[in-house]
């Protein structure tokens, strides 16, 4: 009973992160720094989404990769459902695909490193998973090559100063991707703090070690 209850807590946390991120992605950051308009690079959703990697890593630590994958699938279903109602089919495909493969890669990397120093597995898993997530989402959503997923976004394809401030120019979606990845890297490092704090509370079950 306790195991089932804990599992559903992880599912609830994951779906909450996905729902919150789908909502907050509609709201750009206000203000500017050094002439760079923050709203051109980030939404509040960029800061909530990395918590999905924390939930995945805690689930993996506690239950092992098999249960962690179930939690990810639950988040995937919720994410795709909300994306269908909140965005275009192309964004829904990009969001769902990036989430699923990014989280599954995180699980795989975490599992390979789980017996090393405590921070290696969650940091490497979240960073590598975030890199794949970002590359898949922004490519599927905006790169001209993936037009078969849906119409191209002309605004995203227009050239503009890289990261909104540099002399070099690139399509806007490239700056959005780089800005998103930067946030995920910073959040991945910061979220080591709650992961480390919870290690004494959330300990691996025997099944987790057996499947590692």
């Amino acid at each position: 009973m306790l195991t089932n209850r804990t599992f559903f807590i992880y599912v609830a946390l994951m779906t909450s992160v996905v729902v919150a991120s789908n909502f907050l992605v509609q709201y750009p950051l206000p203000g500017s720094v050094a002439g760079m308009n923050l709203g051109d690079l980030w939404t509040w959703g960029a800061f909530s989404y990395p918590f999905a990697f924390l939930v995945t890593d805690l689930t993996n630590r506690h239950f092992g990769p098999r249960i962690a994958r179930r939690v990810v699938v639950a988040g995937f279903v919720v994410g795709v459902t909300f994306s269908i109602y909140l965005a275009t089919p192309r964004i829904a495909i990009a969001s769902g695909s990036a989430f699923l493969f990014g989280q599954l890669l995180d699980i795989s990397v975490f599992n390979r490193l789980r017996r090393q120093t405590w921070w290696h597995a969650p940091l490497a898993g979240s960073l590598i998973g975030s890199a794949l997530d970002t590359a898949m989402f922004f490519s599927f959503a905006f790169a001209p090559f993936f037009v078969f997923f849906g119409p191209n976004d002309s605004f995203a394809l227009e050239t503009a100063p890289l990261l909104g401030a540099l002399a070099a120019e690139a399509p806007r979606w490239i700056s959005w991707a780089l800005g998103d990845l930067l946030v995920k890297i910073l959040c991945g490092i910061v979220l080591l703090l709650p992961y480390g704090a919870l290690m004494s509370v959330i300990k691996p079950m025997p099944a987790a070690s057996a499947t590692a």
Side-chain angles (χ1 to χ4, degrees), residues 7 10-11 14 49-76 98-115 120-133 195 207-208 211-212:
F7 168 74
Y10 285 124
V11 171
M14 179 63 81
Y49 181 77
F51 281 88
F53 289 97
L54 175 62
V55 175
T56 298
D57 291 343
L58 289 173
T59 309
N60 202 350
R61 172 178 168 79
H62 194 177
F63 288 116
R66 183 171 62 87
I67 300 300
R69 293 186 188 101
R70 292 185 183 179
V71 172
V72 165
V73 169
F76 169 76
F99 174 85
L100 182 62
F101 287 99
Q103 295 295 324
L104 291 178
L105 181 58
D106 173 28
I107 292 171
S108 178
V109 173
F110 183 101
N111 211 43
R112 288 179 178 274
L113 302 178
R114 67 189 306 145
R115 292 191 176 91
H120 286 180
L123 183 60
S126 65
L127 295 187
I128 295 174
S130 292
L132 178 62
D133 179 285
Y195 179 90
T211 56

Side-chain angles (χ1 to χ4, degrees), residues 17-29 39 41-49 82-83 86-87 91 95 137-138 142 180:
V17 171
V18 171
V19 170
S21 297
N22 274 282
F23 175 75
L24 293 173
V25 75
Q26 304 172 81
Y27 299 96
L29 260 65
L41 291 176
W42 298 304
T43 68
W44 286 109
F47 295 87
S48 60
Y49 181 77
F82 271 80
S83 294
L86 296 175
I91 295 297
S95 175
F137 174 77
F138 286 95
F142 303 115
D180 182 82

